[in-house]
Amino acid sequence: MKITLQICFLLILHLFFHISSSQFLPSNTTGYACNLSQTASSCQTYAFFTAMGPNQLDLASIGDLFSVSRPMIAKPSNITSLTSPLVPNQSLFIPLTCTCNSVNTTTNISYAKINYTIKGGDTFYLVSTTLFNNLTTYQSVELVNPTLVPINLTIGQDVIFPIFCKCPTKTQLQNQINYLISYVFQPSDDISSIASRFGSTTESIVEVNGNRTIRPTETVFVPVSKLPELTQPAPINVSNSQRTTERTSAVIGLGVGLGVCGLVLILMGCFLAYRESVWKKRVGRKKDDGESKKNEAGVSLMADVSDCLDKYKVFRVEELSEATDGFDDRWVIQGSVFKGYIHGKPYAIKKMKWNAYEELKILQKVNHGNLVMLEGFCIDSEDASCYLVYEYLENGSLYTRLHESNVDMLNWRTRLGIAVDVANGLQYIHEHTRPRVVHKDVKSNNILLDTNMRAKIANFGLAKSGCNAITMHIVGTQGYIAPEYLSDGIVSTKMDVFSFGVVLLELISGREAVNIDGKALWVEVHENFNGKEDKHIHNLKGFMDDVLLKESCSIDSVMNVMSIAIACLHRDPSKRPSMVDIVYALCKSDDLFFDISQDGLSPRQVLAR
Ligand SMILES: *[C@@H]1O[C@H](CO)[C@@H](O)[C@H](O)[C@H]1NC(C)=O
Ligand SMILES: *[C@@H]1O[C@H](CO)[C@@H](O)[C@H](O)[C@H]1NC(C)=O
Ligand SMILES: *[C@@H]1O[C@H](CO)[C@@H](O)[C@H](O)[C@H]1NC(C)=O
Ligand SMILES: *[C@@H]1O[C@H](CO)[C@@H](O)[C@H](O)[C@H]1NC(C)=O
Ligand SMILES: *[C@@H]1O[C@H](CO)[C@@H](O)[C@H](O)[C@H]1NC(C)=O
Ligand SMILES: *[C@@H]1O[C@H](CO)[C@@H](O)[C@H](O)[C@H]1NC(C)=O
Ligand SMILES: *[C@@H]1O[C@H](CO)[C@@H](O)[C@H](O)[C@H]1NC(C)=O
Ligand SMILES: *[C@@H]1O[C@H](CO)[C@@H](O)[C@H](O)[C@H]1NC(C)=O
Ligand SMILES: *[C@@H]1O[C@H](CO)[C@@H](O)[C@H](O)[C@H]1NC(C)=O
Ligand SMILES: *[C@@H]1O[C@H](CO)[C@@H](O)[C@H](O)[C@H]1NC(C)=O
Ligand SMILES: *[C@@H]1O[C@H](CO)[C@@H](O)[C@H](O)[C@H]1NC(C)=O
């Protein structure tokens, strides 16, 4: 019974997808078999990729799609300029980490796992055929994501796209075949044209792929001893003339990139530019406009940060491993962040995959007391990992402090101080960096507290996705994400303002951003604080943290912060205050507090100004 149902379901799925699929399905639709007794379990390889779609005509968006940095594509592809736009149908080599994965008891298939976040209108078929240019198939996507229902995808859901690849066997390696390039067979191709294009031979291609008719859209593995050099069009010069003419609100991401063959620490810069008017109109965005600005910023960025390498201490892997007892679970702070002592000093050590490099190096460009400081880094080429080493903050995250610890509840003065600190940090990244930086993941988890309860903003890990992400990836945390970003993917400093408003609500109410029923705190506030202002004070008493009520702190001060929070949470981003306004308004709240408490100025109050 159960099996019949499953078969019916599969049939329906197939019918659904076949409507739009061509009759030329590759014969190895679910992937290409691998055998661990013949090949390594993983290898570095490349896929030949043709930049086609209108959203793919720059290295940054292709890098984002495949989770690699621009230099990692530029180098093997013989491209010298990271910022020049690509021409339609430009050829690229995309680096892949190919692994052999077991799908059931009898079969293992090899692919590179690429994370993709679903956006509106996506289906497995469309993403495979249009974005990944048939380097995978929807059947294979279904196979490696068995828990997902292909006809019921939700926006923001993470899906693994298995990019077909193969690792050379031991015999092939002995015969100087170092890579099997993944190439999608085109209607105009035949084996001998592919052989001459990649500097391979017809015989060796047949040997790897079998002596059979290869159909268009099927992946062919081209054995080569070294990557062929691609001929690229001359880079298009980017005009710098209008760089200073317009104020743009830009999103920039700086990433640590680890080159394929060694230590290449490079800055990934990318951004989206929008005029203020875009917020008002939302529709009818002019793509070309944004594109040209993107390039300008990339150019200036590369110039600004070329000296980043020598600012930091380079740690050895052994040092970090020793500091954390070999990255033992006991030392985990959160996720892949470990606490470790090096020469007696505690550090927070964040471990990343070599192709993740997403953690942003924004911190090396900005330097502010309310941003967590990066102390150094480490690259482990053997394990293909990269580590960022940060200052360690004793009092953990604001989230833990507010929602998970029963001891030592934060009083209103401390909470206000934390709000001012975070506002100062955000104001700094929004106003004093060019192009502007948007954090994109402001939440109590990413606000850390030092011994003096001063707050610092951490985790710029998502800011990178901001680069190309206008429609590609929805990132962020439920309960903090601004509605316009969720619906339209619009990135601006005002989305950080929104998230900051949610943090203020947490500070006032002591409650989590999303309650156990999945309802966002800000939605509740929209419902309860929409009427006349004079009712707000009454509602506020019901909303406030009991700890604060008992403390009998100044209700005016709390109400002032509540009004700021409500303003931050305005549905229309253009109506939200800027961080500059917020810092000013919060300091006023601080004054209100001290007018009443009358116990003099604390050191932190002085610092907050
Ligand atoms: C593709 O599938 C055919 C059988 O359908 C098999 O003979 C061939 O070896 C497969 N190719 C690869 C590269 O796995
Ligand atoms: C894997 O390779 C070994 C030795 O080369 C062979 O004995 C075995 O049958 C292969 N397994 C599969 C599933 O092809
Ligand atoms: C398939 O993968 C499993 C685990 O990954 C491994 O134990 C097994 O030997 C593999 N089989 C083949 C034929 O490679
Ligand atoms: C790019 O390639 C596609 C298909 O191969 C073709 O239809 C299109 O005309 C090409 N575009 C350019 C600008 O060469
Ligand atoms: C395992 O998966 C492969 C590829 O999808 C399929 O051809 C094969 O029939 C499956 N075997 C079993 C026992 O399910
Ligand atoms: C891909 O997504 C999964 C699940 O969301 C996550 O655990 C994994 O770390 C991601 N991998 C990369 C390389 O980002
Ligand atoms: C991928 O294959 C489908 C048919 O299977 C075809 O319609 C589509 O144009 C192909 N995409 C590319 C980029 O070649
Ligand atoms: C689709 O997914 C949502 C949440 O992921 C679930 O609530 C809903 O029941 C699903 N619908 C179907 C038809 O499976
Ligand atoms: C492929 O098979 C055809 C006939 O089936 C044969 O004539 C040809 O020589 C074979 N090619 C190779 C390289 O084995
Ligand atoms: C690779 O790029 C360089 C510089 O752009 C160029 O001189 C060279 O001809 C290119 N190689 C090939 C094979 O086109
Ligand atoms: C591009 O700009 C550089 C200097 O900015 C100049 O030397 C070069 O000739 C320009 N190239 C083209 C094709 O305009």
Side-chain angles (χ1 to χ4, degrees), residues 374-404:
L374 183 69
E375 307 253 359
F377 65 91
C378 163
I379 287 164
D380 180 5
S381 41
E382 234 162 71
D383 189 30
S385 307
C386 174
Y387 302 86
L388 295 186
V389 181
Y390 295 96
E391 65 177 320
Y392 179 78
L393 299 182
E394 287 78 5
N395 272 320
S397 73
L398 176 62
Y399 178 89
T400 319
R401 206 62 198 202
L402 276 181
H403 310 304
E404 283 176 358

PDB file of all heavy atoms in Angstrom, residues 374-404:
ATOM      1  N   LEU A 374      39.170  41.075  14.793  1.00  0.00           N
ATOM      2  CA  LEU A 374      39.858  39.926  14.213  1.00  0.00           C
ATOM      3  C   LEU A 374      41.331  40.035  14.581  1.00  0.00           C
ATOM      4  O   LEU A 374      41.936  41.081  14.424  1.00  0.00           O
ATOM      5  CB  LEU A 374      39.697  39.962  12.691  1.00  0.00           C
ATOM      6  CG  LEU A 374      40.298  38.802  11.921  1.00  0.00           C
ATOM      7  CD1 LEU A 374      39.517  37.531  12.214  1.00  0.00           C
ATOM      8  CD2 LEU A 374      40.285  39.074  10.433  1.00  0.00           C
ATOM      9  N   GLU A 375      41.893  38.935  15.115  1.00  0.00           N
ATOM     10  CA  GLU A 375      43.287  39.006  15.547  1.00  0.00           C
ATOM     11  C   GLU A 375      44.216  38.349  14.541  1.00  0.00           C
ATOM     12  O   GLU A 375      45.376  38.709  14.428  1.00  0.00           O
ATOM     13  CB  GLU A 375      43.447  38.298  16.906  1.00  0.00           C
ATOM     14  CG  GLU A 375      42.480  38.787  17.955  1.00  0.00           C
ATOM     15  CD  GLU A 375      43.158  39.651  19.003  1.00  0.00           C
ATOM     16  OE1 GLU A 375      44.377  39.835  18.892  1.00  0.00           O
ATOM     17  OE2 GLU A 375      42.453  40.125  19.903  1.00  0.00           O
ATOM     18  N   GLY A 376      43.711  37.347  13.857  1.00  0.00           N
ATOM     19  CA  GLY A 376      44.590  36.667  12.913  1.00  0.00           C
ATOM     20  C   GLY A 376      43.853  35.568  12.192  1.00  0.00           C
ATOM     21  O   GLY A 376      42.638  35.421  12.341  1.00  0.00           O
ATOM     22  N   PHE A 377      44.585  34.803  11.412  1.00  0.00           N
ATOM     23  CA  PHE A 377      43.947  33.739  10.665  1.00  0.00           C
ATOM     24  C   PHE A 377      44.925  32.603  10.439  1.00  0.00           C
ATOM     25  O   PHE A 377      46.108  32.697  10.788  1.00  0.00           O
ATOM     26  CB  PHE A 377      43.407  34.259   9.329  1.00  0.00           C
ATOM     27  CG  PHE A 377      44.482  34.724   8.397  1.00  0.00           C
ATOM     28  CD1 PHE A 377      45.055  33.853   7.489  1.00  0.00           C
ATOM     29  CD2 PHE A 377      44.942  36.028   8.447  1.00  0.00           C
ATOM     30  CE1 PHE A 377      46.060  34.278   6.651  1.00  0.00           C
ATOM     31  CE2 PHE A 377      45.943  36.461   7.603  1.00  0.00           C
ATOM     32  CZ  PHE A 377      46.514  35.584   6.706  1.00  0.00           C
ATOM     33  N   CYS A 378      44.429  31.545   9.861  1.00  0.00           N
ATOM     34  CA  CYS A 378      45.266  30.381   9.626  1.00  0.00           C
ATOM     35  C   CYS A 378      44.666  29.633   8.453  1.00  0.00           C
ATOM     36  O   CYS A 378      43.448  29.531   8.340  1.00  0.00           O
ATOM     37  CB  CYS A 378      45.242  29.506  10.876  1.00  0.00           C
ATOM     38  SG  CYS A 378      45.806  27.838  10.600  1.00  0.00           S
ATOM     39  N   ILE A 379      45.512  29.167   7.580  1.00  0.00           N
ATOM     40  CA  ILE A 379      45.014  28.407   6.447  1.00  0.00           C
ATOM     41  C   ILE A 379      45.640  27.018   6.495  1.00  0.00           C
ATOM     42  O   ILE A 379      46.851  26.885   6.622  1.00  0.00           O
ATOM     43  CB  ILE A 379      45.337  29.122   5.124  1.00  0.00           C
ATOM     44  CG1 ILE A 379      44.430  30.347   4.978  1.00  0.00           C
ATOM     45  CG2 ILE A 379      45.134  28.192   3.936  1.00  0.00           C
ATOM     46  CD1 ILE A 379      44.886  31.307   3.946  1.00  0.00           C
ATOM     47  N   ASP A 380      44.799  26.009   6.456  1.00  0.00           N
ATOM     48  CA  ASP A 380      45.281  24.636   6.504  1.00  0.00           C
ATOM     49  C   ASP A 380      45.015  24.007   5.139  1.00  0.00           C
ATOM     50  O   ASP A 380      43.921  23.553   4.852  1.00  0.00           O
ATOM     51  CB  ASP A 380      44.517  23.891   7.606  1.00  0.00           C
ATOM     52  CG  ASP A 380      44.961  22.441   7.719  1.00  0.00           C
ATOM     53  OD1 ASP A 380      45.915  22.065   6.998  1.00  0.00           O
ATOM     54  OD2 ASP A 380      44.373  21.709   8.522  1.00  0.00           O
ATOM     55  N   SER A 381      46.052  24.007   4.307  1.00  0.00           N
ATOM     56  CA  SER A 381      45.812  23.546   2.937  1.00  0.00           C
ATOM     57  C   SER A 381      45.592  22.039   2.888  1.00  0.00           C
ATOM     58  O   SER A 381      44.924  21.531   2.000  1.00  0.00           O
ATOM     59  CB  SER A 381      46.965  23.951   2.026  1.00  0.00           C
ATOM     60  OG  SER A 381      48.181  23.780   2.684  1.00  0.00           O
ATOM     61  N   GLU A 382      46.130  21.315   3.888  1.00  0.00           N
ATOM     62  CA  GLU A 382      45.967  19.858   3.876  1.00  0.00           C
ATOM     63  C   GLU A 382      44.511  19.456   4.088  1.00  0.00           C
ATOM     64  O   GLU A 382      43.969  18.620   3.405  1.00  0.00           O
ATOM     65  CB  GLU A 382      46.801  19.261   5.002  1.00  0.00           C
ATOM     66  CG  GLU A 382      47.765  18.196   4.538  1.00  0.00           C
ATOM     67  CD  GLU A 382      48.826  17.994   5.581  1.00  0.00           C
ATOM     68  OE1 GLU A 382      48.489  17.444   6.640  1.00  0.00           O
ATOM     69  OE2 GLU A 382      49.981  18.391   5.348  1.00  0.00           O
ATOM     70  N   ASP A 383      43.912  20.117   5.067  1.00  0.00           N
ATOM     71  CA  ASP A 383      42.547  19.790   5.427  1.00  0.00           C
ATOM     72  C   ASP A 383      41.552  20.660   4.654  1.00  0.00           C
ATOM     73  O   ASP A 383      40.344  20.545   4.830  1.00  0.00           O
ATOM     74  CB  ASP A 383      42.397  20.023   6.940  1.00  0.00           C
ATOM     75  CG  ASP A 383      41.081  19.506   7.469  1.00  0.00           C
ATOM     76  OD1 ASP A 383      40.572  18.529   6.905  1.00  0.00           O
ATOM     77  OD2 ASP A 383      40.550  20.090   8.421  1.00  0.00           O
ATOM     78  N   ALA A 384      42.086  21.531   3.803  1.00  0.00           N
ATOM     79  CA  ALA A 384      41.252  22.461   3.036  1.00  0.00           C
ATOM     80  C   ALA A 384      40.355  23.292   3.937  1.00  0.00           C
ATOM     81  O   ALA A 384      39.177  23.464   3.683  1.00  0.00           O
ATOM     82  CB  ALA A 384      40.420  21.711   1.996  1.00  0.00           C
ATOM     83  N   SER A 385      40.930  23.786   5.029  1.00  0.00           N
ATOM     84  CA  SER A 385      40.149  24.612   5.937  1.00  0.00           C
ATOM     85  C   SER A 385      40.826  25.957   6.129  1.00  0.00           C
ATOM     86  O   SER A 385      41.991  26.132   5.823  1.00  0.00           O
ATOM     87  CB  SER A 385      40.037  23.977   7.317  1.00  0.00           C
ATOM     88  OG  SER A 385      39.563  22.688   7.230  1.00  0.00           O
ATOM     89  N   CYS A 386      40.066  26.866   6.669  1.00  0.00           N
ATOM     90  CA  CYS A 386      40.563  28.203   6.919  1.00  0.00           C
ATOM     91  C   CYS A 386      40.029  28.590   8.293  1.00  0.00           C
ATOM     92  O   CYS A 386      38.918  28.201   8.657  1.00  0.00           O
ATOM     93  CB  CYS A 386      40.001  29.101   5.822  1.00  0.00           C
ATOM     94  SG  CYS A 386      40.334  30.812   6.027  1.00  0.00           S
ATOM     95  N   TYR A 387      40.824  29.257   9.104  1.00  0.00           N
ATOM     96  CA  TYR A 387      40.391  29.622  10.444  1.00  0.00           C
ATOM     97  C   TYR A 387      40.519  31.117  10.644  1.00  0.00           C
ATOM     98  O   TYR A 387      41.514  31.706  10.208  1.00  0.00           O
ATOM     99  CB  TYR A 387      41.258  28.938  11.498  1.00  0.00           C
ATOM    100  CG  TYR A 387      41.261  27.440  11.405  1.00  0.00           C
ATOM    101  CD1 TYR A 387      42.145  26.776  10.559  1.00  0.00           C
ATOM    102  CD2 TYR A 387      40.378  26.684  12.168  1.00  0.00           C
ATOM    103  CE1 TYR A 387      42.145  25.394  10.456  1.00  0.00           C
ATOM    104  CE2 TYR A 387      40.368  25.301  12.078  1.00  0.00           C
ATOM    105  CZ  TYR A 387      41.254  24.657  11.218  1.00  0.00           C
ATOM    106  OH  TYR A 387      41.245  23.297  11.132  1.00  0.00           O
ATOM    107  N   LEU A 388      39.550  31.713  11.265  1.00  0.00           N
ATOM    108  CA  LEU A 388      39.672  33.113  11.649  1.00  0.00           C
ATOM    109  C   LEU A 388      39.745  33.152  13.171  1.00  0.00           C
ATOM    110  O   LEU A 388      39.003  32.446  13.849  1.00  0.00           O
ATOM    111  CB  LEU A 388      38.484  33.935  11.161  1.00  0.00           C
ATOM    112  CG  LEU A 388      38.325  34.061   9.643  1.00  0.00           C
ATOM    113  CD1 LEU A 388      37.198  35.024   9.317  1.00  0.00           C
ATOM    114  CD2 LEU A 388      39.606  34.501   8.981  1.00  0.00           C
ATOM    115  N   VAL A 389      40.666  33.964  13.677  1.00  0.00           N
ATOM    116  CA  VAL A 389      40.884  34.011  15.116  1.00  0.00           C
ATOM    117  C   VAL A 389      40.467  35.393  15.630  1.00  0.00           C
ATOM    118  O   VAL A 389      40.991  36.411  15.193  1.00  0.00           O
ATOM    119  CB  VAL A 389      42.364  33.723  15.442  1.00  0.00           C
ATOM    120  CG1 VAL A 389      42.595  33.757  16.934  1.00  0.00           C
ATOM    121  CG2 VAL A 389      42.776  32.382  14.849  1.00  0.00           C
ATOM    122  N   TYR A 390      39.504  35.393  16.550  1.00  0.00           N
ATOM    123  CA  TYR A 390      38.953  36.646  17.063  1.00  0.00           C
ATOM    124  C   TYR A 390      39.296  36.829  18.527  1.00  0.00           C
ATOM    125  O   TYR A 390      39.583  35.868  19.231  1.00  0.00           O
ATOM    126  CB  TYR A 390      37.420  36.620  16.988  1.00  0.00           C
ATOM    127  CG  TYR A 390      36.867  36.577  15.614  1.00  0.00           C
ATOM    128  CD1 TYR A 390      36.507  35.374  15.025  1.00  0.00           C
ATOM    129  CD2 TYR A 390      36.697  37.746  14.894  1.00  0.00           C
ATOM    130  CE1 TYR A 390      35.989  35.336  13.751  1.00  0.00           C
ATOM    131  CE2 TYR A 390      36.178  37.728  13.620  1.00  0.00           C
ATOM    132  CZ  TYR A 390      35.823  36.523  13.059  1.00  0.00           C
ATOM    133  OH  TYR A 390      35.312  36.488  11.799  1.00  0.00           O
ATOM    134  N   GLU A 391      39.154  38.064  18.990  1.00  0.00           N
ATOM    135  CA  GLU A 391      39.245  38.308  20.417  1.00  0.00           C
ATOM    136  C   GLU A 391      38.116  37.518  21.098  1.00  0.00           C
ATOM    137  O   GLU A 391      37.057  37.311  20.513  1.00  0.00           O
ATOM    138  CB  GLU A 391      39.113  39.796  20.718  1.00  0.00           C
ATOM    139  CG  GLU A 391      37.753  40.377  20.361  1.00  0.00           C
ATOM    140  CD  GLU A 391      37.606  41.849  20.720  1.00  0.00           C
ATOM    141  OE1 GLU A 391      38.086  42.239  21.791  1.00  0.00           O
ATOM    142  OE2 GLU A 391      37.029  42.597  19.917  1.00  0.00           O
ATOM    143  N   TYR A 392      38.368  37.074  22.341  1.00  0.00           N
ATOM    144  CA  TYR A 392      37.362  36.306  23.050  1.00  0.00           C
ATOM    145  C   TYR A 392      36.639  37.217  24.033  1.00  0.00           C
ATOM    146  O   TYR A 392      37.275  37.981  24.746  1.00  0.00           O
ATOM    147  CB  TYR A 392      38.033  35.149  23.805  1.00  0.00           C
ATOM    148  CG  TYR A 392      37.054  34.330  24.587  1.00  0.00           C
ATOM    149  CD1 TYR A 392      36.249  33.397  23.951  1.00  0.00           C
ATOM    150  CD2 TYR A 392      36.923  34.507  25.966  1.00  0.00           C
ATOM    151  CE1 TYR A 392      35.318  32.668  24.657  1.00  0.00           C
ATOM    152  CE2 TYR A 392      35.994  33.771  26.679  1.00  0.00           C
ATOM    153  CZ  TYR A 392      35.195  32.857  26.023  1.00  0.00           C
ATOM    154  OH  TYR A 392      34.267  32.132  26.727  1.00  0.00           O
ATOM    155  N   LEU A 393      35.318  37.157  24.034  1.00  0.00           N
ATOM    156  CA  LEU A 393      34.561  38.010  24.945  1.00  0.00           C
ATOM    157  C   LEU A 393      33.923  37.143  26.038  1.00  0.00           C
ATOM    158  O   LEU A 393      33.175  36.217  25.748  1.00  0.00           O
ATOM    159  CB  LEU A 393      33.490  38.792  24.183  1.00  0.00           C
ATOM    160  CG  LEU A 393      34.038  39.730  23.108  1.00  0.00           C
ATOM    161  CD1 LEU A 393      32.928  40.506  22.422  1.00  0.00           C
ATOM    162  CD2 LEU A 393      35.033  40.709  23.702  1.00  0.00           C
ATOM    163  N   GLU A 394      34.254  37.490  27.279  1.00  0.00           N
ATOM    164  CA  GLU A 394      33.935  36.627  28.425  1.00  0.00           C
ATOM    165  C   GLU A 394      32.449  36.399  28.644  1.00  0.00           C
ATOM    166  O   GLU A 394      32.037  35.333  29.070  1.00  0.00           O
ATOM    167  CB  GLU A 394      34.501  37.222  29.721  1.00  0.00           C
ATOM    168  CG  GLU A 394      35.995  37.121  29.870  1.00  0.00           C
ATOM    169  CD  GLU A 394      36.710  38.180  29.043  1.00  0.00           C
ATOM    170  OE1 GLU A 394      36.005  39.040  28.451  1.00  0.00           O
ATOM    171  OE2 GLU A 394      37.938  38.138  28.968  1.00  0.00           O
ATOM    172  N   ASN A 395      31.644  37.411  28.405  1.00  0.00           N
ATOM    173  CA  ASN A 395      30.257  37.278  28.837  1.00  0.00           C
ATOM    174  C   ASN A 395      29.309  36.698  27.808  1.00  0.00           C
ATOM    175  O   ASN A 395      28.095  36.747  27.977  1.00  0.00           O
ATOM    176  CB  ASN A 395      29.764  38.611  29.386  1.00  0.00           C
ATOM    177  CG  ASN A 395      30.069  38.730  30.871  1.00  0.00           C
ATOM    178  OD1 ASN A 395      29.932  37.763  31.615  1.00  0.00           O
ATOM    179  ND2 ASN A 395      30.529  39.885  31.289  1.00  0.00           N
ATOM    180  N   GLY A 396      29.857  36.127  26.743  1.00  0.00           N
ATOM    181  CA  GLY A 396      29.024  35.412  25.789  1.00  0.00           C
ATOM    182  C   GLY A 396      28.087  36.328  25.014  1.00  0.00           C
ATOM    183  O   GLY A 396      28.294  37.534  24.933  1.00  0.00           O
ATOM    184  N   SER A 397      27.056  35.730  24.465  1.00  0.00           N
ATOM    185  CA  SER A 397      26.172  36.516  23.605  1.00  0.00           C
ATOM    186  C   SER A 397      25.029  37.121  24.410  1.00  0.00           C
ATOM    187  O   SER A 397      24.654  36.630  25.476  1.00  0.00           O
ATOM    188  CB  SER A 397      25.614  35.650  22.483  1.00  0.00           C
ATOM    189  OG  SER A 397      24.645  34.772  22.997  1.00  0.00           O
ATOM    190  N   LEU A 398      24.479  38.196  23.873  1.00  0.00           N
ATOM    191  CA  LEU A 398      23.327  38.839  24.492  1.00  0.00           C
ATOM    192  C   LEU A 398      22.167  37.851  24.570  1.00  0.00           C
ATOM    193  O   LEU A 398      21.423  37.815  25.541  1.00  0.00           O
ATOM    194  CB  LEU A 398      22.922  40.075  23.674  1.00  0.00           C
ATOM    195  CG  LEU A 398      21.674  40.817  24.136  1.00  0.00           C
ATOM    196  CD1 LEU A 398      21.863  41.367  25.542  1.00  0.00           C
ATOM    197  CD2 LEU A 398      21.331  41.942  23.178  1.00  0.00           C
ATOM    198  N   TYR A 399      22.045  37.003  23.546  1.00  0.00           N
ATOM    199  CA  TYR A 399      20.977  36.019  23.524  1.00  0.00           C
ATOM    200  C   TYR A 399      21.040  35.132  24.765  1.00  0.00           C
ATOM    201  O   TYR A 399      20.066  34.959  25.490  1.00  0.00           O
ATOM    202  CB  TYR A 399      21.068  35.173  22.259  1.00  0.00           C
ATOM    203  CG  TYR A 399      20.002  34.104  22.195  1.00  0.00           C
ATOM    204  CD1 TYR A 399      18.765  34.363  21.622  1.00  0.00           C
ATOM    205  CD2 TYR A 399      20.223  32.836  22.743  1.00  0.00           C
ATOM    206  CE1 TYR A 399      17.777  33.408  21.586  1.00  0.00           C
ATOM    207  CE2 TYR A 399      19.250  31.868  22.720  1.00  0.00           C
ATOM    208  CZ  TYR A 399      18.023  32.154  22.136  1.00  0.00           C
ATOM    209  OH  TYR A 399      17.046  31.203  22.113  1.00  0.00           O
ATOM    210  N   THR A 400      22.219  34.548  25.003  1.00  0.00           N
ATOM    211  CA  THR A 400      22.393  33.661  26.145  1.00  0.00           C
ATOM    212  C   THR A 400      22.074  34.409  27.432  1.00  0.00           C
ATOM    213  O   THR A 400      21.406  33.902  28.327  1.00  0.00           O
ATOM    214  CB  THR A 400      23.851  33.183  26.204  1.00  0.00           C
ATOM    215  OG1 THR A 400      24.270  32.890  24.886  1.00  0.00           O
ATOM    216  CG2 THR A 400      24.001  31.970  27.064  1.00  0.00           C
ATOM    217  N   ARG A 401      22.575  35.623  27.492  1.00  0.00           N
ATOM    218  CA  ARG A 401      22.421  36.427  28.692  1.00  0.00           C
ATOM    219  C   ARG A 401      20.948  36.734  28.970  1.00  0.00           C
ATOM    220  O   ARG A 401      20.489  36.674  30.104  1.00  0.00           O
ATOM    221  CB  ARG A 401      23.193  37.729  28.463  1.00  0.00           C
ATOM    222  CG  ARG A 401      23.674  38.394  29.683  1.00  0.00           C
ATOM    223  CD  ARG A 401      24.636  37.507  30.401  1.00  0.00           C
ATOM    224  NE  ARG A 401      24.738  37.992  31.758  1.00  0.00           N
ATOM    225  CZ  ARG A 401      25.758  37.741  32.540  1.00  0.00           C
ATOM    226  NH1 ARG A 401      26.746  36.976  32.113  1.00  0.00           N
ATOM    227  NH2 ARG A 401      25.787  38.211  33.750  1.00  0.00           N
ATOM    228  N   LEU A 402      20.202  37.033  27.942  1.00  0.00           N
ATOM    229  CA  LEU A 402      18.800  37.411  28.130  1.00  0.00           C
ATOM    230  C   LEU A 402      17.887  36.213  28.283  1.00  0.00           C
ATOM    231  O   LEU A 402      16.968  36.223  29.083  1.00  0.00           O
ATOM    232  CB  LEU A 402      18.304  38.212  26.919  1.00  0.00           C
ATOM    233  CG  LEU A 402      18.560  39.706  26.846  1.00  0.00           C
ATOM    234  CD1 LEU A 402      17.948  40.248  25.561  1.00  0.00           C
ATOM    235  CD2 LEU A 402      17.977  40.445  28.044  1.00  0.00           C
ATOM    236  N   HIS A 403      18.162  35.183  27.480  1.00  0.00           N
ATOM    237  CA  HIS A 403      17.162  34.117  27.402  1.00  0.00           C
ATOM    238  C   HIS A 403      17.585  32.798  28.024  1.00  0.00           C
ATOM    239  O   HIS A 403      16.770  31.927  28.193  1.00  0.00           O
ATOM    240  CB  HIS A 403      16.777  33.861  25.937  1.00  0.00           C
ATOM    241  CG  HIS A 403      16.419  35.102  25.188  1.00  0.00           C
ATOM    242  ND1 HIS A 403      15.447  35.960  25.604  1.00  0.00           N
ATOM    243  CD2 HIS A 403      16.921  35.633  24.044  1.00  0.00           C
ATOM    244  CE1 HIS A 403      15.352  36.979  24.747  1.00  0.00           C
ATOM    245  NE2 HIS A 403      16.236  36.793  23.797  1.00  0.00           N
ATOM    246  N   GLU A 404      18.854  32.647  28.309  1.00  0.00           N
ATOM    247  CA  GLU A 404      19.268  31.329  28.776  1.00  0.00           C
ATOM    248  C   GLU A 404      19.922  31.330  30.144  1.00  0.00           C
ATOM    249  O   GLU A 404      20.213  30.283  30.680  1.00  0.00           O
ATOM    250  CB  GLU A 404      20.216  30.674  27.752  1.00  0.00           C
ATOM    251  CG  GLU A 404      19.444  30.132  26.556  1.00  0.00           C
ATOM    252  CD  GLU A 404      20.351  29.559  25.488  1.00  0.00           C
ATOM    253  OE1 GLU A 404      21.583  29.612  25.652  1.00  0.00           O
ATOM    254  OE2 GLU A 404      19.807  29.063  24.485  1.00  0.00           O
TER     255      GLU A 404
END
